[in-house]
Amino acid sequence: MDVCIVGTGYVGLSTAVGFAGHGHRVTCVDIDPRRVNDINSGRCPIFEPGMDGSMKSSVGKNLLKATLDLKAAMASSEAVFISVPTPCDDDGRMDTKFIDKASKDIAGNLSGYKVIIVKSTVVPGTTENIVKKNLEAAGKELGTDFGLCMNPEFLREGHALEDFLRPDRIVIGSTDKKAGDLVQKLYDGFNAPVLRTDIKTAEMIKYASNGFLATKITFANEIGNICKPLGIDVYKVMEGVGLDSRIGPKFLRAGCGFGGSCFPKDVQALLSKGREAGYEPKLLETVLETNAKQRKLMVHHLKSKMDLKGKRIAVLGLAFNPDTDDVRESAAIDTVQGLLEHGANVIVYDPKAMENFRKVFPGIKYASSSREALNGADACVIATDWEEFKRLEAKDFKEMKNSIVIEGRRTLDRNKVKSFEGVCW
Ligand code: UDX
């Protein structure tokens, strides 16, 4: 099938590369000429495992290309995906400006029946109140000129392509059967249950999923905070809890709080939408508050051990997740901010995310390895569980002035490194 994908962020690119790998002819559209150029040269503009090779292969087979020209891209496509960002505005509500612009542009270039599919995470009502309205305002008729679907993504950064290709489920919300059937056909060959719903339900499934996962993590963190002073290992506790098939073992890794481009903004947007609907979502509010506190806990523990003023503190791990260079809402941001506020000299290291972190904190020291960061440090905190840090051994820490190590993620190998403390274990 011929597919057009508007927006080439993590979601757009994973979708494009995933569908091209399944033999569809995909054209990506973006407003950034550099991105377009990168894609056409077979270079993935973001760091994401597996993407480079798959992108190169699909570009080589003429199954994947990119353009600035929406009209040309749409002309040959049966399906047009919208995968533009949906950030939060200053009031915590979802900002619809990119969805609004993309759907107006699509409406202006629509000729012949096409199915328009929203892949961006949008609060319930957005697809019908913004996308559908913009298409109708341009004189297009639902069912005749266009079909409308909402097909949420469930991709973790660092595993985005793998998650796209091997999903737990495929959710397709549609206004009518014809449009939904076309989207379902795109996923022929995927080994996952397909759930067909109306549009608003599909939109809500995405928020409810992220809200639940964020709550699950926060629950593990809260139990960890109770376990720590009692001398109980929360990881063993969660192993026992997760073996209950009603609960499951995933997303129970306690630590320094969730971050990233999705959980914080999606829980906030769901909270705002609930309030707008006349309901006060207390649980979601508490999840955000508890998580904000959790992200400050590493500095709190360090402060209880030493006066941080003038101390050299090494921060290992700046990305919000391993295998990504994305630092949005990463725990390292709160940690470095807190350390600086207490007058510490901060030196940081991350295998991939230093360039992005430098944009947030240009004035701190950047080391070229963990060893360099740890050399002469009064203390160290670990904020991302990169594989590289899992291989650290006692000898890597021996040049530290004091062997104070606070783990924000369960990273170090307990057989190799003895002297450390978990943020909530
Ligand atoms: C998330 C959802 O998982 C994905 O389905 C959705 O579509 C987008 O948002 P993402 O934010 O990219 O994906 O990564 P994820 O692996 O879910 O991690 C989010 C945050 O939660 C990270 O900061 C991670 O460290 C934290 N986390 C995750 C925990 O603290 N404990 C866990 O057990 C799991």
Side-chain angles (χ1 to χ4, degrees):
M1 222 181 277
D2 286 282
V3 181
C4 165
I5 296 181
V6 181
T8 62
Y10 283 90
V11 174
L13 282 173
S14 311
T15 307
V17 171
F19 277 145
H22 270 257
H24 298 298
R25 288 171 299 275
V26 181
T27 307
C28 296
V29 183
D30 207 284
I31 48 168
D32 179 352
R34 249 203 350 224
R35 277 196 167 231
V36 167
N37 220 2
D38 276 351
I39 297 167
N40 287 331
S41 316
R43 276 190 310 269
C44 185
I46 55 166
F47 171 71
E48 189 62 42
M51 288 279 271
D52 255 332
S54 306
M55 179 172 278
K56 198 170 274 151
S57 151
S58 290
V59 170
K61 289 181 196 153
N62 282 326
L63 289 171
L64 178 64
K65 61 179 192 279
T67 176
L68 298 164
D69 186 349
L70 175 65
K71 193 185 179 101
M74 280 180 60
S76 56
S77 301
E78 293 160 80
V80 181
F81 281 87
I82 301 180
S83 55
V84 295
T86 48
C88 273
D89 66 15
D90 294 341
D91 301 325
R93 281 196 298 258
M94 191 193 79
D95 188 339
T96 55
K97 64 173 179 282
F98 297 115
I99 285 280
D100 188 46
K101 163 105 175 56
S103 50
K104 279 181 178 150
D105 289 348
I106 288 168
N109 288 293
L110 187 68
S111 65
Y113 177 86
K114 295 183 197 310
V115 178
I116 315 299
I117 308 124
V118 174
K119 193 85 153 134
S120 306
T121 299
V122 291
V123 290
T126 310
T127 302
E128 280 158 306
N129 295 336
I130 294 183
V131 179
K132 179 166 158 265
K133 277 211 179 119
N134 283 340
L135 283 151
E136 286 174 344
K140 309 296 177 189
E141 196 182 324
L142 180 66
T144 311
D145 300 311
F146 70 97
L148 193 61
C149 289
M150 202 282 150
N151 172 220
E153 52 84 15
F154 303 100
L155 314 175
R156 292 163 302 161
E157 284 183 32
H159 301 265
L161 187 55
E162 177 194 325
D163 286 351
F164 183 83
L165 294 172
R166 275 174 284 283
D168 285 343
R169 76 299 207 188
I170 294 160
V171 175
I172 302 170
S174 62
T175 46
D176 58 75
K177 188 171 175 320
K178 180 180 165 190
D181 285 351
L182 185 135
V183 176
Q184 186 161 346
K185 212 166 161 5
L186 273 171
Y187 287 99
D188 268 358
F190 281 65
N191 183 20
V194 176
L195 183 68
R196 298 280 292 263
T197 67
D198 61 24
I199 297 239
K200 269 201 281 202
T201 306
E203 292 169 327
M204 190 50 131
I205 286 171
K206 172 61 196 271
Y207 278 94
S209 297
N210 274 1
F212 182 76
L213 291 170
T215 306
K216 203 174 175 192
I217 297 167
T218 306
F219 177 79
N221 290 341
E222 183 134 294
I223 297 296
N225 293 340
I226 300 172
C227 281
K228 187 176 165 76
L230 300 179
I232 301 168
D233 180 359
V234 66
Y235 272 70
K236 245 321 169 224
V237 172
M238 286 306 150
E239 194 183 328
V241 171
L243 283 168
D244 187 326
S245 62
R246 293 168 300 177
I247 298 173
K250 293 184 182 165
F251 278 69
L252 287 176
R253 281 178 286 120
C256 54
F258 61 77
S261 62
C262 294
F263 285 165
K265 94 168 161 64
D266 291 352
V267 178
Q268 181 58 58
L270 183 56
L271 176 63
S272 302
K273 193 69 192 172
R275 283 185 183 145
E276 208 179 290
Y279 175 74
E280 189 57 38
K282 276 276 171 219
L283 176 63
L284 298 176
E285 196 182 332
T286 306
V287 165
L288 288 179
E289 274 172 22
T290 311
N291 191 57
K293 280 194 205 142
Q294 199 73 14
R295 287 158 52 119
K296 297 191 190 329
L297 222 49
M298 292 201 287
V299 175
H300 172 82
H301 286 320
L302 271 186
K303 240 180 62 198
S304 68
K305 295 178 192 304
M306 64 172 82
D307 176 8
L308 290 168
K309 200 164 168 42
K311 297 286 183 343
R312 176 179 163 112
I313 312 293
V315 177
L316 301 186
L318 306 174
F320 84 92
N321 240 2
D323 294 317
T324 179
D325 60 359
D326 195 339
V327 302
R328 283 177 288 178
E329 301 271 344
S330 94
I333 293 183
D334 285 25
T335 304
V336 169
Q337 187 63 46
L339 291 170
L340 293 176
E341 281 164 12
H342 288 96
N345 290 323
V346 181
I347 178 154
V348 300
Y349 169 71
D350 187 282
K352 287 281 173 204
M354 302 227 277
E355 205 181 309
N356 285 335
F357 207 74
R358 212 185 282 274
K359 292 175 198 153
V360 190
F361 292 103
I364 57 172
K365 292 198 196 78
Y366 288 80
S368 55
S369 66
S370 326
R371 276 272 186 104
E372 187 191 332
L374 293 169
N375 198 349
D378 291 281
C380 156
V381 299
I382 304 180
T384 320
D385 45 347
W386 282 97
E387 275 304 316
E388 182 177 321
F389 301 153
K390 291 184 185 162
R391 291 195 295 270
L392 289 174
E393 299 184 18
K395 65 175 167 29
D396 295 304
F397 294 88
K398 80 173 188 312
E399 299 299 333
M400 287 178 72
K401 219 181 268 172
N402 299 305
S403 54
I404 298 174
V405 179
I406 310 261
E407 273 191 297
R409 311 275 171 207
R410 186 74 151 234
T411 313
L412 300 173
D413 182 338
R414 264 108 191 100
N415 297 317
K416 291 185 187 154
V417 190
K418 301 275 180 240
S419 166
F420 55 79
E421 178 182 332
V423 65
C424 53
W425 57 91

